[in-house]
Structure formats: C-alpha cells, structure tokens
Amino acid sequence: GAGVSQSPRYKVAKRGQDVALRCDPISGHVSLFWYQQALGQGPEFLTYFQNEAQLDKSGLPSDRFFAERPEGSVSTLKIQRTQQEDSAVYLCASSLGATGSSYEQYFGPGTRLTVT
Amino acid sequence: QQQVKQSPQSLIVQKGGISIINCAYENTAFDYFPWYQQFPGKGPALLIAIRPDVSEKKEGRFTISFNKSAKQFSLHIMDSQPGDSATYFCAASPTGGFKTIFGAGTRLFVKA
C-alpha cells in the first residue's frame, strides 16, 4: 500500500519567500506529526495533529511557522519569510492511533528546504 | 535541553560483528523507546521498540536492552551486514504524549 508522501521533495527558496510543504499521510491514520531534521542531527518535533485538531505546536520555532490539517488528512506546513536557519529536511509522519506514543510512526521521505 | 543522549556518533564494524549503540534519557515520564533506521534520502523507519516493563526485546538480529534504574537503553545488531550501514536513532516519548524526542543519531558503517 501507499506510504506517507511529501511534496515537493526539494525546495530552494530565496530568503524572505514563503514556502508551503505538503504531506499526504497513510489513509485512515489519525495522528500526523511534523519534524525538522538539520543536517547530521535527529528529527526535532514541530507539531502534532489528531485528525484536524492541532493538539501540540510547542516545537514550532517561531510564529513564521504554521501548520494545518483542515480535513483530517492532508497537511501543509507553511513557513513565512524564510530565513537561512530554516534550511533543513522537513519530515512528516503518521500513525494509526490517537495516542501518539502508542503507535508506530510511519515517516515520509521528507522535503529538503534550502534557503539562499 | 537534550533529553536523549546517544553514543557513539559513528561506528565502524566488520561484517559479522556486533554493533552496539547506547542511549540515555533524563525524563522519567518517558515510557516508549523506539529505535529508527534511516538511509540517505529516506525518512526514518521503525526498527524495534520497547516499553520499560521489560528489560530486553529481540527481533531477529536486533535486540534492545533496557535498564530502567540507570535510565539507559541500547541497541545490539548481531551478525552485522553491509546492508545495515545506515544512521540509527534512539527515541523516547512520554505516557500519553505526542512529542517524540530523538537522539542525535549514530552513523553505522559495516565493512564487507
């Protein structure tokens, strides 16, 4: 079956531009996570959705970062006025259950964002 | 604040040898400890996971050892193969929580 897909796979943005990153989770998965992975580091939690509800956004680095999942399936991570420090791989993961820690997270391939 | 510390940063093992990666955590509220494997250009994939009510879990060549009192857990890869060459991340998440905390990763290279 289809896994988690993300688009675009690569994005180059000039500093100050806005970008939108898309995540298509596995069909029927209740939970959706966004992570930021800097080069040579582990993923860092950004935000969590249970269906369409954003239950935790404590990891978003600034108010330039915004995520939504309006219909409880596809999610978009938007970064406004991109800065060089935003350059990273953005990973999306989904899991079947409603309690994030109790179910396996399936990761997408990520979107590599480079801000020039 | 780094809540999950992972070592070593990199590891080279001969084919057929045992690879050992260690992690330590600080937050006693953590109750789920997965290990992920990541290949270049791919997202992490769950390898094996453990909860603190057991001290060891084995799946094929992969074993997690868990020491609750020391707040440490480790991954052992037996009979390491070149195909195991990847980056491995330990992680931890709290009871009923959503925020999974990852270690910094260990780059494993298995020499043929």
Side-chain angles (χ1 to χ4, degrees):
Chain A
V4 177
S5 61
Q6 293 185 245
S7 61
R9 290 294 315 277
Y10 304 91
K11 177 70 178 176
V12 178
K14 289 189 191 307
R15 191 174 61 173
Q17 283 185 331
D18 297 349
V19 298
L21 312 180
R22 178 187 168 107
C23 172
D24 284 80
I26 294 173
S27 178
H29 277 198
V30 169
S31 295
L32 186 144
F33 306 79
W34 282 99
Y35 294 89
Q36 181 189 59
Q37 186 174 26
L39 189 63
Q41 297 297 314
E44 288 198 15
F45 172 87
L46 293 177
T47 188
Y48 167 74
F49 289 87
Q50 187 178 110
N51 295 309
E52 69 279 3
Q54 188 175 23
L55 299 188
D56 189 335
K57 56 181 180 179
S58 62
L60 296 176
S62 76
D63 58 9
R64 297 186 295 103
F65 287 71
F66 172 77
E68 61 183 3
R69 193 187 185 198
E71 297 178 359
S73 55
V74 171
S75 177
T76 304
L77 176 67
K78 297 179 180 178
I79 309 173
Q80 297 178 324
R81 305 181 303 282
T82 52
Q83 303 296 314
Q84 284 194 316
E85 61 263 27
D86 300 336
S87 296
V89 174
Y90 290 85
L91 294 164
C92 174
S94 69
S95 67
L96 181 62
T99 302
S101 66
S102 298
Y103 295 88
E104 175 177 354
Q105 293 184 38
Y106 294 84
F107 282 82
T111 294
R112 180 177 297 277
L113 173 65
T114 302
V115 181
T116 62
Chain B
Q1 178 186 5
Q2 185 182 12
Q3 297 188 51
V4 178
K5 294 183 180 180
Q6 183 171 347
S7 63
Q9 194 171 24
S10 62
L11 182 60
I12 300 174
V13 173
Q14 291 283 353
K15 179 182 174 182
I18 303 173
S19 303
I20 302 174
I21 304 170
N22 300 298
C23 280
Y25 63 98
E26 300 166 5
N27 189 344
T28 55
F30 289 148
D31 75 337
Y32 178 68
F33 302 90
W35 284 89
Y36 285 86
Q37 180 188 56
Q38 186 176 30
F39 293 103
K42 306 288 187 184
L46 181 68
L47 201 57
I48 185 172
I50 197 168
R51 292 195 181 274
D53 52 346
V54 297
S55 60
E56 186 174 282
K57 183 174 181 180
K58 183 176 180 179
E59 289 184 2
R61 296 185 294 110
F62 302 92
T63 300
I64 299 179
S65 297
F66 188 85
N67 185 330
K68 187 174 180 178
S69 61
K71 292 188 285 186
Q72 295 175 346
F73 58 111
S74 60
L75 175 69
H76 294 230
I77 305 174
M78 312 300 287
D79 186 28
S80 299
Q81 299 296 312
D84 296 331
S85 297
T87 300
Y88 292 81
F89 295 97
C90 61
S93 56
T95 305
F98 319 114
K99 187 180 292 187
T100 300
I101 307 299
F102 284 78
T106 296
R107 295 185 68 173
L108 171 66
F109 180 68
V110 181
K111 295 170 69 173

